[in-house]
Amino acid sequence: MVKFSDFAQTLQSSDIAALLKLTEQPEVISFAGGLPAPELFPIEEMKKVDVAILEKEGRQAVQYGTTEGYVPLREEIAKRMKQAFFVDCKAENIVVTTGSQQALFILSQILVNKDDTVLMESPSYMGAIMAFDPVCPKYTEVPTDDKGMIPEELEKILASDAKVKMIYVIPDFQNPTGITWPMERRKAFMDIINKYDVVVVEDDPYGELRYDGEKLPSLKSMDTQGKVVFLGSFSKIFMPGLRLGWTVANPEIIDKFVKFKQAVDLGTSTFGQRQAAYFINMFDLDAHVTKIKALYAKRRTLMYESMQKYFPEGITFTYPEGGLFTWVTLPAYMDAKEMMPKVIAKQVAYVPGGIFYPNGGNANHFRLNYSNMPEDRIVEGIQRLGEVLKEELR
Amino acid sequence: MVKFSDFAQTLQSSDIAALLKLTEQPEVISFAGGLPAPELFPIEEMKKVDVAILEKEGRQAVQYGTTEGYVPLREEIAKRMKQAFFVDCKAENIVVTTGSQQALFILSQILVNKDDTVLMESPSYMGAIMAFDPVCPKYTEVPTDDKGMIPEELEKILASDAKVKMIYVIPDFQNPTGITWPMERRKAFMDIINKYDVVVVEDDPYGELRYDGEKLPSLKSMDTQGKVVFLGSFSKIFMPGLRLGWTVANPEIIDKFVKFKQAVDLGTSTFGQRQAAYFINMFDLDAHVTKIKALYAKRRTLMYESMQKYFPEGITFTYPEGGLFTWVTLPAYMDAKEMMPKVIAKQVAYVPGGIFYPNGGNANHFRLNYSNMPEDRIVEGIQRLGEVLKEELR
């Protein structure tokens, strides 16, 4: 028997993970993960990219690099921050991370003490909860409606809790709900947080994947006090397996972040960073994103229309203007986790909604992903889900 | 002013880091880093490897993967554990990590609480100290001689401190000293730790790089109680920029380790893992290691002979049978850190030894790396160092 640390003792196997394991066979129509469509990965282009890296940079491309990351990639990210997120920044404000998951982990470590408060939307990304858990924070869920965090509720909490250190938000096509904060919410949010000593972590892996409506400025672009830390990712616009994300922050935060990252993994793959940088230079990442958007928009619309067609009355769901997910709400007496075995028996999978609430409860929701299933399977899967829902509705 | 966590407030810029920054220009003869010789990186082979990955596995190679790692790579590692380290294990006992730095970080997080004791050789690897620091342990340095940790001293500490949770050791060609534990020390060590409730972290990035003498069994190969966690790395036998290491442990530890790693970065680059696995299958990693050993042995011997020739009497240094480093001991009144500006003025660099002691002190040492400098620069650099030493000796 090993004596684990107090925190490690809390790491238990989840029954949901065990259920989702059952859904990994290829015959299952899985809306459970958050996987990008692999058919769009630029495999042929990557052959040219990899050879070019090895020819042009050779040894340097596979030697140890700096913890901050490969400068030409950080310069490309700075351009992208301007063009896609309206943020003025330079390479020195940017750190490349081993996925934006790593940034979530590091930020909680450098900003939050045990029993400090972390604010989140309700619900919020389960991977962020997992990343923050090791510092043992108190989670306060800020009441959230179909336009995102409710400013008045946020202000009430900030005014009454002096231990709030970090506010974690996903204003664009939120995971899990698909909801996007409109402009007035963003403004109201920034007005409030500017009055308090807190750091905002704006997680925006889907921001470039908007299918309708107008692009909105990121919170970081409205940040006049250096309070917002912006997290971007190559996982959804390029390829997730390279594990490449980035963090934009003020110099004070970047300094601590880099020192902590050094302890965690010394630095992100030097070759992987070049794969992204060379692809951007040799090919057209914007055109690639356009292709992704066209496919996902079609799948989003098809899933939405299929839910309208096959889901019984009394079930509601969001219409995401972008991103990868839609969020289904059942009548309060229903439990999406308890329903899972029946859903799995029909060879379909979703993620039950309860795990997206750091403080539990809210069993009457589930999250659906539409980016990773071909069109015919989306229709078939939603139809089967609709059958289970009809059986379960009172 | 950002309010950082208590730990982050302790992350300060080191004056040594600032000094070493000065030594990064190409004209400096740097013995400071721990970089492999880039001229041996198999760049031409990697072109074929990368194309083969993309042709054979395409999309799968850049999609999200499991946290444990790519199974064919873990199977290759299992074979390597048997052949190079005499350890019987299977893929399920192995997790691929983002460099073995990540393993050091995660192990301390899952094994050690604040104020628990971590034992280390004295001196020990500074990167490990950096990795363990976030859990705020108490470090106890076990007295260490030219054969490694002294068993009697270890036993005394274990018998008197019930809070020892982890013992961190580098029995092969230690960083920073270059010392290797002989067989009787390994046996004595295992006999002692088997009597206590502790986990041993055996860090072995250099084990395959032995230039003379006979290969010794790893502690893990002598472990009958599942108490030893073995850390391996592709950084020194293949390429460090890919950030690939591995951890071998009993199932109980692997389970917690994987759960924690998921929070930290979800998983290590799926493409990077295939780069190692395909290289092993398409080319001959053992032959590659043989080439590395031939070059490093030459450099090791040359540095040793140059020190004998150019260092004044009163200065001692180790003869490493393998690995990347030798360790220089000055008379007690000398301070290697204070001497640095003079050394840098002569365009040479080392790492002052004090930072390898978790509790400080021991200023009269420095570490030299011989793997990353061509032969003529090794001789020239040691000669210049010798001049400074002669000036500084009383």
Side-chain angles (χ1 to χ4, degrees):
Chain A
M1 280 289 292
V2 176
K3 278 194 233 160
F4 288 103
S5 67
D6 295 341
F7 174 71
Q9 290 178 34
T10 70
L11 289 169
Q12 297 302 331
S13 292
S14 90
D15 42 358
I16 291 172
L19 281 169
L20 290 176
K21 201 97 190 160
L22 295 176
T23 70
E24 282 172 5
Q25 302 98 308
E27 62 271 23
V28 173
I29 300 175
S30 180
F31 304 132
L35 273 62
E39 58 269 38
L40 293 182
F41 294 150
I43 300 302
E44 288 308 311
E45 290 87 337
M46 289 315 291
K47 288 185 198 167
K48 295 188 184 116
V49 162
D50 287 5
V51 171
I53 295 169
L54 291 164
E55 271 173 6
K56 284 192 201 158
E57 290 196 73
R59 299 159 179 179
Q60 209 47 42
V62 293
Q63 184 60 286
Y64 284 111
T66 65
T67 304
E68 292 85 347
Y70 179 58
V71 172
L73 178 60
R74 287 154 69 209
E75 283 166 353
E76 287 302 334
I77 290 169
K79 283 189 223 162
R80 204 148 199 94
M81 285 305 299
K82 179 71 185 167
Q83 164 208 318
F85 305 103
F86 311 129
V87 173
D88 287 303
C89 65
K90 294 198 177 127
E92 56 259 41
N93 304 114
I94 296 166
V95 183
V96 180
T97 56
T98 308
S100 54
Q101 183 70 29
Q102 185 182 57
L104 295 171
F105 179 81
I106 293 176
L107 286 166
S108 64
Q109 293 278 329
I110 64 170
L111 293 170
V112 182
N113 285 322
K114 186 169 185 306
D115 300 325
D116 280 345
T117 306
V118 172
L119 303 189
M120 300 180 120
E121 290 157 288
S122 176
S124 188
Y125 172 48
M126 58 171 292
I129 302 169
M130 189 169 72
F132 304 157
D133 275 348
V135 295
C136 305
K138 177 187 158 203
Y139 293 108
T140 299
E141 299 173 30
V142 181
T144 304
D145 64 16
D146 61 355
K147 296 188 172 59
M149 234 180 218
I150 300 170
E152 297 72 27
E153 301 285 348
L154 171 66
E155 175 117 50
K156 259 191 254 170
I157 293 167
L158 284 172
S160 64
D161 183 351
K163 298 194 85 174
V164 177
K165 293 291 175 62
M166 190 168 95
I167 308 179
Y168 173 72
V169 294
I170 313 170
D172 289 337
F173 326 123
Q174 201 230 15
N175 182 356
T177 62
I179 284 169
T180 298
W181 299 13
M183 192 59 200
E184 59 276 17
R185 278 286 168 93
R186 293 171 193 242
K187 280 187 187 152
F189 178 88
M190 291 306 296
D191 286 345
I192 293 166
I193 65 107
N194 277 336
K195 292 187 275 180
Y196 294 89
D197 249 353
V198 289
V199 173
V200 174
V201 176
E202 178 180 29
D203 193 4
D204 200 359
Y206 323 108
E208 296 194 48
L209 303 180
R210 175 178 276 282
Y211 318 131
D212 13 74
E214 240 178 83
K215 194 175 238 181
L216 293 168
S218 61
L219 300 178
K220 182 70 190 160
S221 73
M222 306 160 74
D223 176 26
T224 53
Q225 302 187 10
K227 281 186 168 163
V228 178
V229 180
F230 181 96
L231 308 188
S233 174
F234 285 109
S235 291
K236 306 304 187 291
I237 58 171
F238 187 45
M239 295 178 300
L242 306 183
R243 311 302 305 118
L244 292 174
W246 68 86
T247 296
V248 184
N250 78 42
E252 202 187 357
I253 293 174
I254 289 291
D255 175 67
K256 299 287 190 191
F257 189 104
V258 168
K259 291 190 172 96
F260 202 94
K261 177 170 165 60
Q262 197 178 7
V264 170
D265 70 0
L266 297 182
T268 296
S269 167
T270 54
F271 190 82
Q273 293 185 65
R274 282 163 175 83
Q275 287 180 298
Y278 276 63
F279 181 87
I280 293 170
N281 276 309
M282 293 170 64
F283 298 97
D284 186 342
L285 183 55
D286 294 333
H288 183 66
V289 170
T290 303
K291 259 196 264 177
I292 295 174
K293 282 162 59 174
L295 181 69
Y296 291 5
K298 192 162 69 174
R299 291 179 177 179
R300 182 274 322 260
T301 303
L302 188 62
M303 182 173 273
Y304 187 76
E305 290 172 355
S306 302
M307 291 195 292
Q308 288 182 311
K309 186 165 170 190
Y310 296 114
F311 280 10
E313 266 193 57
I315 313 285
T316 60
F317 36 87
T318 58
Y319 176 83
E321 293 186 334
L324 275 66
F325 304 107
T326 178
W327 181 247
V328 179
T329 300
L330 311 172
Y333 63 83
M334 286 174 76
D335 185 318
K337 190 176 143 190
E338 281 181 11
M339 216 166 71
M340 270 189 93
K342 286 179 190 148
V343 170
I344 291 172
K346 289 209 187 263
Q347 310 267 53
V348 190
Y350 56 58
V351 180
I355 58 172
F356 297 99
Y357 295 87
N359 300 320
N362 301 281
N364 62 321
H365 303 273
F366 57 83
R367 188 192 75 177
L368 296 177
N369 164 267
Y370 47 78
S371 58
N372 191 42
M373 279 290 134
E375 289 70 30
D376 55 334
R377 304 197 84 194
I378 288 178
V379 176
E380 175 66 28
I382 293 297
Q383 194 171 355
R384 292 187 203 166
L385 258 182
E387 288 163 19
V388 178
L389 290 171
K390 277 172 203 156
E391 286 164 23
E392 294 297 307
L393 262 182
R394 270 190 221 140
Chain B
M1 280 291 291
V2 176
K3 279 193 233 162
F4 289 102
S5 68
D6 295 340
F7 174 71
Q9 289 178 34
T10 70
L11 289 169
Q12 297 302 330
S13 293
S14 90
D15 41 359
I16 291 172
L19 282 170
L20 289 176
K21 201 99 190 159
L22 296 176
T23 70
E24 282 171 6
Q25 301 98 309
E27 63 273 22
V28 173
I29 300 176
S30 179
F31 304 132
L35 274 63
E39 57 269 39
L40 294 182
F41 295 151
I43 300 303
E44 287 309 310
E45 291 87 338
M46 289 316 293
K47 288 184 197 168
K48 296 190 182 113
V49 162
D50 287 4
V51 170
I53 295 169
L54 292 163
E55 270 172 9
K56 285 193 199 155
E57 292 196 71
R59 299 159 180 179
Q60 209 49 40
V62 293
Q63 184 60 286
Y64 284 111
T66 65
T67 304
E68 291 85 346
Y70 179 56
V71 173
L73 178 60
R74 287 154 68 210
E75 283 166 353
E76 287 301 335
I77 291 169
K79 283 189 225 163
R80 203 147 199 94
M81 286 305 299
K82 179 71 183 166
Q83 165 209 317
F85 305 103
F86 311 129
V87 173
D88 287 301
C89 65
K90 293 194 178 136
E92 56 258 42
N93 303 113
I94 297 166
V95 182
V96 180
T97 55
T98 308
S100 54
Q101 183 69 31
Q102 184 181 57
L104 296 171
F105 179 81
I106 293 176
L107 286 166
S108 64
Q109 293 278 329
I110 64 171
L111 294 169
V112 183
N113 285 322
K114 187 171 184 307
D115 301 325
D116 280 345
T117 307
V118 172
L119 303 190
M120 300 179 121
E121 289 156 290
S122 176
S124 189
Y125 173 48
M126 57 170 292
I129 302 169
M130 188 170 73
F132 305 157
D133 276 348
V135 296
C136 305
K138 177 188 158 203
Y139 294 107
T140 299
E141 299 172 33
V142 182
T144 304
D145 64 15
D146 60 355
K147 296 187 172 59
M149 234 180 218
I150 300 169
E152 297 72 30
E153 301 285 349
L154 171 66
E155 174 118 51
K156 260 191 255 170
I157 294 167
L158 283 171
S160 64
D161 183 353
K163 298 194 85 174
V164 177
K165 294 292 175 60
M166 189 168 96
I167 308 180
Y168 172 72
V169 293
I170 312 170
D172 289 337
F173 326 121
Q174 201 229 13
N175 182 357
T177 63
I179 285 170
T180 298
W181 300 14
M183 192 58 200
E184 60 275 19
R185 278 287 168 92
R186 293 171 193 241
K187 279 186 188 152
F189 178 88
M190 291 307 296
D191 286 344
I192 293 165
I193 65 109
N194 277 335
K195 292 187 275 180
Y196 295 90
D197 250 353
V198 289
V199 173
V200 173
V201 176
E202 178 181 28
D203 193 4
D204 201 358
Y206 323 109
E208 296 194 50
L209 304 179
R210 177 178 274 282
Y211 318 131
D212 12 74
E214 238 178 84
K215 193 175 240 182
L216 294 168
S218 62
L219 300 177
K220 181 72 190 160
S221 74
M222 306 161 73
D223 176 27
T224 52
Q225 301 186 11
K227 280 185 168 163
V228 178
V229 179
F230 180 97
L231 307 187
S233 174
F234 285 109
S235 291
K236 306 304 187 292
I237 59 170
F238 187 44
M239 296 178 300
L242 306 182
R243 310 303 306 118
L244 292 174
W246 68 86
T247 297
V248 185
N250 79 43
E252 203 188 355
I253 294 175
I254 289 291
D255 175 67
K256 299 287 189 192
F257 189 104
V258 168
K259 290 189 171 97
F260 202 94
K261 177 170 165 61
Q262 197 178 8
V264 171
D265 70 0
L266 298 181
T268 295
S269 167
T270 54
F271 189 81
Q273 293 185 67
R274 282 162 175 85
Q275 287 180 298
Y278 277 63
F279 181 86
I280 292 171
N281 277 308
M282 292 169 64
F283 298 96
D284 186 343
L285 183 55
D286 294 332
H288 183 66
V289 170
T290 303
K291 256 195 268 179
I292 296 174
K293 282 163 59 175
L295 182 69
Y296 291 5
K298 192 162 68 174
R299 291 180 176 178
R300 181 274 323 257
T301 304
L302 188 62
M303 181 173 274
Y304 187 77
E305 290 172 355
S306 302
M307 292 194 292
Q308 288 182 311
K309 186 166 171 188
Y310 296 114
F311 280 11
E313 265 191 59
I315 313 286
T316 60
F317 36 88
T318 58
Y319 176 83
E321 294 187 333
L324 275 66
F325 305 106
T326 179
W327 180 247
V328 179
T329 300
L330 311 172
Y333 63 84
M334 286 174 75
D335 185 318
K337 189 174 144 193
E338 281 182 11
M339 217 168 68
M340 269 188 94
K342 286 180 190 148
V343 169
I344 292 171
K346 288 206 187 267
Q347 311 266 54
V348 190
Y350 56 59
V351 181
I355 57 172
F356 297 98
Y357 295 86
N359 300 320
N362 301 282
N364 62 320
H365 303 273
F366 56 84
R367 188 192 73 177
L368 296 177
N369 164 267
Y370 46 78
S371 58
N372 191 42
M373 280 290 134
E375 289 69 28
D376 55 334
R377 305 196 84 193
I378 288 178
V379 177
E380 174 66 29
I382 294 296
Q383 194 171 356
R384 292 187 202 166
L385 258 183
E387 289 163 19
V388 178
L389 290 171
K390 277 171 204 159
E391 287 164 23
E392 295 297 306
L393 260 183
R394 267 190 224 142

